[in-house]
Amino acid sequence: MSDGEAPAPGQERLSLPEVRLDDLLDEVRSRLGEISTTQERIRTLLEAVVSIGEGLELDPLLLRITETASSLVDARYGALGVIGPDGEMSRFIPVGLRPDEISSIEHWPRGEGILGLLIKEPEPLRLGDVSDHPESVGFPRGHPVMRTFLGVPIRIRDRVFGNLYMTDKRDGGHFTGDDELLLRALATAAGTAIENAQLFSETQSRETWLDASGQITTRLLSGAPPEEVLRLVARRARVMAHADISVIAMPGEEPSTLTVRVWDAPEEDGDSPESAVRGRRSASLAAGVRGAALTCAPETLLGRVYLSGRPICTDISEHCDPDIEFLARLGLGPILVLPFGPPDGARGVLLLARTAGREEFPIAWMSMLASFADQAAVALELAEARLDSERLSVLEDRDRIARDLHDTVIQRLYATAITLMGTVRRIDDETSSQRVQNAVTDLDDTIRQIRSTIFALQSSGDEAARLRSQVLDLVNGATESLGFAPRLLTQGPVDTTVDETTGAHLVAVLRELLSNAARHAHATSVDVEVSVADGGVVLRVSDDGAGIPEGTHRSGLRNIASRAEELGGTVEVVSAPGGGTSVRWSVPARVPA
């Protein structure tokens, strides 16, 4: 066919459909490719949702979410910023950076610029170039320069938990609407996973709290000493709060002060070198807290908690009240101070602290830990009340026994002695009369011993500092070294008449004499008598032992005589070989002013 000839009618009809068919096939292939890509991304999204749903530990979950998000939208760098209770960024979890890049960054982003914009306005944000946005403030020194940006918020119900930040697609292009849609879908799934992890953590914490409360109640009901229970409370609170040190302080002797009663820190050994180092450091911190007196005036941190009954969480490495400045010098940072007891009647404070640089205590823990401290304090108060009741019951029994001895036994013995004294005059036989007289003397001696026993029964543990109680403790303590119990008689107002200086000398002399009897006398009986009369006190110690041999070195007796001379008194020693020894130490009851 020549150039001027028209195509045959049949040829024109065949070529037009062929062209349209090729275009149609190309479009179909393009659409199939898009469908395949979409299916692949949907499958990737589903796999990502499944992967972030595995495991309920919060910290690994947050890292897994960030890595999955970066892979899903093919971002070179990604990060997850957690928003704290104060509305500021509390944590920043990055991925895609090499260790050398991380070490060269001056500081992590603080929630300013574009990142801060998402915090203030939690809506998806997609940028072709970060630096072109008016909110951009640049990057920290040493931070890699980033261009394209995609950010979406992570919501848990009506609360924004944090934001996902993606930068720089690997193919050099911009983030697309599909990328944004996929990331929003992932953020929705991530919010559910994070909520589940938080609920799981709260459940574990509550189980730990219930277990700790059960242990404390069990120990208290079993009669454990309050100090031991306080140590258990401090240790369990430290473990529950993942703290490095735990301190319980209660009102001290001085007004407006709290005295550290208990402190707790991890053991030095650990499952890893890092935990061992932390244990040694925490132990040194605890040693620094030992015995500290803390001010609790109304304007101080501890005072605000103790007086108001409201817990306070802060970081003393940034700002520290003068009353606990020594804790900051020990290297502590985040602290949580809780009232130890109900808000309307706190018995002290429970202070939990972490070393500087660690994250602060979660605000959500405050309620749980405060409830634990309240319950522990109430249980301790009930246990102390039970101990007081038991102590009172014992004292009442002892008082009843002492009263029965005085009103019944002594009166009958006294009446018997009077009867025997009247009978002596009617006995003509000298030997029989002497025997009855000796019996009367023994009854008098028995009455005096019973009176001493009555005083011992009526003395409580709070009177341990009294002279009569100290003498009784020394005599009872000598039983083991002597091999038998010495006999003790006390007469007169010993506790009210003898002053502290004279009493200290008398106790020292009695200790020396009992020691000598145990080491040298080989006696079968020892009598101790302390009597007060006419402004003087007399200590008499006698035994039926071997006596003091001639030529024996008497340094102990010289010390006893020296003490008597110092107080203006005298010492009399009567001893014969095989005939026992009697020492009479007599001094004024009070040292002249």
Side-chain angles (χ1 to χ4, degrees):
M1 183 178 59
S2 63
D3 295 339
E5 294 178 358
Q11 185 177 359
E12 181 179 356
R13 286 194 300 270
L14 290 175
S15 61
L16 183 60
E18 288 178 359
V19 174
R20 292 179 177 175
L21 183 59
D22 291 339
D23 293 340
L24 183 60
L25 289 174
D26 289 340
E27 184 175 353
V28 169
R29 280 194 294 269
S30 176
R31 294 293 178 87
L32 288 175
E34 291 177 2
I35 293 172
S36 176
T37 301
T38 302
Q39 287 179 336
E40 181 66 26
R41 301 196 75 174
I42 292 175
R43 184 167 58 252
T44 302
L45 174 62
L46 293 176
E47 291 175 353
V49 170
V50 172
S51 69
I52 65 174
E54 298 175 352
L56 291 172
E57 295 293 335
L58 184 59
D59 288 344
L61 173 63
L62 296 180
L63 178 60
R64 194 161 58 248
I65 289 172
T66 311
E67 292 174 339
T68 303
S70 301
S71 175
L72 183 64
V73 298
D74 199 26
R76 184 181 302 276
Y77 305 109
L80 193 156
V82 180
I83 301 175
D86 56 356
E88 302 293 335
M89 186 181 296
S90 62
R91 296 182 62 186
F92 190 78
I93 305 168
V95 297
L97 294 171
R98 300 189 307 272
D100 59 312
E101 290 177 322
I102 293 176
S103 61
S104 63
I105 297 176
E106 184 178 17
H107 61 80
W108 287 123
R110 302 189 179 109
E112 302 169 348
I114 300 298
L115 305 190
L117 178 61
L118 269 175
I119 295 175
K120 293 182 292 185
E121 301 175 7
E123 297 293 336
L125 179 63
R126 184 157 42 98
L127 302 174
D129 193 329
V130 174
S131 60
D132 291 340
H133 196 280
E135 294 282 343
S136 178
V137 294
F139 299 95
R141 183 181 303 172
H143 196 288
V145 177
M146 300 175 182
R147 300 293 183 189
T148 55
F149 176 86
L150 173 61
V152 298
I154 298 176
R155 298 179 182 272
I156 299 178
R157 301 183 185 275
D158 297 330
R159 177 175 63 89
V160 177
F161 173 81
N163 294 295
L164 282 171
Y165 307 113
M166 303 291 121
T167 60
D168 291 1
K169 282 186 73 74
R170 293 185 181 277
D171 60 6
H174 291 185
F175 290 104
T176 64
D178 289 340
D179 292 329
E180 179 180 327
L181 186 62
L182 289 173
L183 198 59
R184 289 175 62 185
L186 181 67
T188 301
T192 302
I194 292 170
E195 183 180 24
N196 291 337
Q198 289 177 332
L199 292 174
F200 176 72
S201 177
E202 290 177 5
T203 301
Q204 281 190 318
S205 299
R206 192 166 297 278
E207 289 179 356
T208 304
W209 169 47
L210 292 174
D211 178 60
S213 299
Q215 281 192 16
I216 292 167
T217 303
T218 301
R219 297 297 292 274
L220 288 171
L221 292 178
S222 64
E227 289 294 327
E228 179 182 333
V229 177
L230 283 177
R231 287 194 294 271
L232 178 61
V233 171
R235 182 168 64 254
R236 294 310 299 262
R238 178 185 58 78
V239 172
M240 289 166 58
H242 305 292
D244 292 311
I245 192 170
S246 175
V247 177
I248 295 178
M250 294 184 172
E253 297 180 358
E254 298 295 329
S256 300
T257 62
L258 296 174
T259 301
V260 174
R261 289 278 299 275
V262 174
W263 63 94
D264 182 77
E267 299 293 335
E268 291 190 11
D269 57 336
D271 298 331
S272 66
E274 293 78 7
S275 61
V277 170
R278 177 175 295 179
R280 287 192 293 271
R281 185 177 183 187
S282 299
S284 65
L285 295 181
V289 177
R290 183 179 306 168
L294 311 177
T295 302
C296 64
E299 67 275 6
T300 64
L301 175 64
L302 298 183
R304 293 198 299 273
V305 175
Y306 178 63
L307 298 175
S308 69
R310 293 191 297 270
I312 293 178
C313 183
T314 185
D315 192 328
I316 59 176
S317 64
E318 300 175 356
H319 173 72
C320 182
D321 281 14
D323 56 311
I324 53 173
E325 187 176 354
F326 74 100
L327 294 176
R329 291 198 299 268
L330 290 173
L332 295 173
I335 67 169
L336 176 59
V337 187
L338 303 158
F340 189 66
D344 56 347
R347 305 186 62 198
V349 297
L350 170 61
L351 188 150
L352 302 166
R354 293 174 176 175
T355 52
R358 294 188 61 192
E359 62 180 312
E360 293 188 4
F361 294 94
I363 300 298
W365 290 8
M366 292 179 64
S367 176
M368 179 191 67
L369 291 170
S371 298
F372 170 75
D374 291 349
Q375 182 174 346
V378 170
L380 184 65
E381 185 171 355
L382 292 176
E384 290 177 345
R386 178 179 57 82
L387 290 176
D388 290 340
S389 177
E390 292 176 355
R391 188 180 299 112
L392 180 61
S393 177
V394 170
L395 292 177
E396 288 176 347
D397 286 343
R398 292 172 62 176
D399 187 64
R400 177 184 55 79
I401 294 170
R403 187 171 58 251
D404 290 345
L405 286 173
H406 180 272
D407 296 345
T408 304
V409 178
I410 285 183
Q411 298 304 322
R412 289 185 178 182
L413 290 175
Y414 186 72
T416 302
I418 294 296
T419 301
L420 290 176
M421 285 296 295
T423 305
V424 168
R425 302 187 188 95
R426 301 178 183 179
I427 298 176
D428 296 331
D429 181 59
E430 183 68 23
T431 303
S432 298
S433 176
Q434 186 61 42
R435 286 180 178 177
V436 174
Q437 183 64 47
N438 290 341
V440 172
T441 303
D442 288 342
L443 285 173
D444 289 340
D445 189 32
T446 301
I447 290 172
R448 286 195 296 269
Q449 286 211 44
I450 292 175
R451 282 175 175 164
S452 295
T453 302
I454 290 173
F455 171 78
L457 287 171
Q458 291 176 334
S459 299
S460 66
D462 297 335
E463 299 171 338
R466 294 185 178 181
L467 178 58
R468 198 185 302 246
S469 296
Q470 294 181 58
V471 170
L472 181 61
D473 290 342
L474 273 179
V475 171
N476 291 336
T479 300
E480 183 177 354
S481 59
L482 288 169
F484 56 86
R487 185 172 54 178
L488 172 64
L489 295 175
T490 57
Q491 300 184 76
V494 175
D495 290 326
T496 57
T497 303
V498 181
D499 65 11
E500 184 176 352
T501 302
T502 302
H505 282 287
L506 187 146
V507 169
V509 169
L510 177 58
R511 183 181 293 109
E512 178 69 25
L513 291 176
L514 290 174
S515 176
N516 288 342
R519 289 182 296 170
H520 309 300
H522 307 292
T524 59
S525 68
V526 173
D527 293 332
V528 178
E529 181 180 350
V530 179
S531 60
V532 172
D534 301 328
V537 57
V538 176
L539 169 64
R540 183 181 288 106
V541 179
S542 57
D543 63 68
D544 63 352
I548 303 176
E550 293 293 334
T552 301
H553 186 62
R554 300 190 178 189
S555 59
L557 293 178
R558 282 198 297 271
N559 291 337
I560 293 172
S562 175
R563 289 180 181 274
E565 292 174 3
E566 182 180 339
L567 297 174
T570 60
V571 174
E572 297 176 8
V573 181
V574 178
S575 178
T581 303
S582 176
V583 179
R584 183 179 184 277
W585 190 80
S586 176
V587 296
R590 292 185 175 276
V591 177

